[in-house]
Amino acid sequence: MSWQDKLREVEPYVAGEQPKIVNMIKLNTNENPYGPSPKIKEVLTSLDIDRLRLYPNSDAVDLRKELANYYGLEEEQVFLGNGSDEVLALIFLTFFNGKEPILFPDITYSFYPVYCELYQMAYKLVKLDRDFKINLNDFMQPNSGIIFPNPNAPTGLLVDLDFIETILKNNPDSIVVIDEAYIDFGGTSCVSLIDKYDNLVVTQTYSKSRSLAGIRLGIALGSKEAIRHLYDVKNSFNSYPVDYVAQQICLASILDDQDTKAKCAKVIKTREMTKTRLKELGFIVPDSYANFVFVKHPDVEGQELFTALRQVGIIVRHWNTKRIDQYLRISIGTDEEMERMINFLEEYLNK
Ligand SMILES: *Cc1c(COP(=O)(O)O)cnc(C)c1O
């Protein structure tokens, strides 16, 4: 047998491109158009370089304490990892090992099926309705775990806490993971349900609302028991996923929550303006609660619009996948960036 016969062969997740185009308007990976807290600059200039000789605190205790405080939880209920993608990978490995399939929507974060393939776990896609809404009954079948983002990606649609609570109540023997990557853009977090349901695990990221995609920090919140198991798996894989510098930066960010809230409010305002303007141009615009909109035009193909925008340096996201190939996911940038994008579309559609 050749080494090729002994491979774990996978089709990887493909992240949005980071092209090097001058003056481009980058609206394809849901990064925050505004920089992180200015307090981070102070942290970086006063960093103790000699400290880099040492391994970081493996459980990031100072940061963990501050996060626990922020979310009103105990330290043992907080887990940290190298971006929430890594946290999610560890969550699948820790909790989703039953015989039944893992359930998630057919239109959702495209990393979930990749983890399943990587770990060779069975999954079943729950079909969203024509308006991209989740049918609650679809999560009432035997499963080894449930996961979906709230708001969902790439649709931006939000479900309320009652909806999540019904799923939790009906699946007491499975871990239910709510991926709150975009919750700070107008949704209500379900963290408040953690003390009532030991099968709930919530993930959040510092990449979007906190403008820190460049340093990679993601967290998971849950019952002490669930989080302990997550640490056991993490410590069997990599003891030090969050480096010293990232810990210091995130600490400064969490302590400057006002800055985050102000920037989120700006993004929300721009998003609402964008929705209105795109509707005026005839676009179909599901009601996004995230820092992106997911839109299609009844008269122009998604691929065509994607290419036309790219030619003028406006980079958005498009998937050649059934059910969503007519849609574009457009991240919310600054007011000025959105104006330029909308003006271009207006001209293009009138031609
Ligand atoms: C962006 C995103 C993530 C990953 O965030 P990182 O912390 O940057 O790894 C996870 N889930 C969803 C739904 C996302 O959109």
Side-chain angles (χ1 to χ4, degrees), residues 83-85 88 109 112 149 153 179 181-182 205-208 216-218:
S84 62
D85 285 339
L88 290 167
Y109 190 37
Y112 304 154
D179 179 348
Y182 301 101
T205 174
Y206 271 52
S207 301
K208 280 112 185 196
R216 318 300 302 123
L217 188 93

Side-chain angles (χ1 to χ4, degrees), residues 53-69:
R53 288 187 304 111
L54 307 173
Y55 281 105
N57 182 290
S58 70
D59 294 335
V61 285
D62 291 346
L63 178 55
R64 206 173 145 191
K65 193 176 286 170
E66 217 45 69
L67 286 167
N69 191 24

Side-chain angles (χ1 to χ4, degrees), residues 36-40 42-43 61-71 206 210 212 217 246-261:
S37 162
K39 299 254 163 64
I40 289 169
E42 295 164 33
V43 170
V61 285
D62 291 346
L63 178 55
R64 206 173 145 191
K65 193 176 286 170
E66 217 45 69
L67 286 167
N69 191 24
Y70 179 80
Y71 291 102
Y206 271 52
R210 291 191 180 269
L212 288 171
L217 188 93
Q247 290 182 28
Q248 300 308 306
I249 290 175
C250 291
L251 198 50
S253 171
I254 198 86
L255 291 171
D256 192 7
D257 196 44
Q258 267 181 319
D259 180 76
T260 301
K261 289 215 163 74

